[in-house]
Amino acid sequence: QVRVVESGGGLVQPGGSLRLSCVVSGSAFFGIYTMAWYRQAPGQQRELVAEITRDTTTKYADSVKGRFTISRANADKTVYLEMHSLKPDDTAVYYCNLPTARWDWGPGTQVTVSS
């Protein structure tokens, strides 16, 4: 069974940066999957914020374009989300999964942007 574990969140001031990591275990085919980062703010639906294909083509939600960068390390079965110029609206729990969200959700990692 595939398991994902996210980490790297924390409390950061507006304008600050964070780097999130997502480690995938239990999948022998990680390298061929398109991977995605999602976030869910309190009282809001979960939204997809970034995707990366097997050949590292990336796509971003308009709200994070130019500030967030998704990358992957296939040998480590890890996906990263580098976040800069963070805003209070970026406050959410961040998750990774397939774009189809077919895997069980991991615990997520809390990102809080506040002064």
Side-chain angles (χ1 to χ4, degrees), residues 12-97:
V12 63
Q13 291 189 341
S17 300
L18 283 173
R19 189 192 197 206
L20 307 184
S21 300
C22 166
V23 178
V24 178
S25 60
S27 172
F29 304 104
F30 173 83
I32 69 170
Y33 288 129
T34 295
M35 293 296 300
W37 279 97
Y38 298 77
R39 68 185 180 187
Q40 187 167 22
Q44 304 293 320
Q45 287 191 333
R46 193 170 290 164
E47 63 169 338
L48 194 154
V49 296
E51 292 182 34
I52 184 166
T53 66
R54 59 189 292 183
D55 63 356
T56 67
T57 299
T58 58
K59 188 163 61 174
Y60 299 93
D62 288 343
S63 58
V64 307
K65 206 172 290 184
R67 301 187 298 119
F68 289 12
T69 302
I70 187 172
S71 60
R72 65 192 298 162
N74 288 339
D76 298 328
K77 296 186 179 180
T78 301
V79 185
Y80 301 100
L81 187 68
E82 192 145 351
M83 308 185 296
H84 298 287
S85 303
L86 283 162
K87 307 174 182 180
D89 284 350
D90 296 318
T91 295
V93 180
Y94 284 72
Y95 304 87
C96 70
N97 208 315

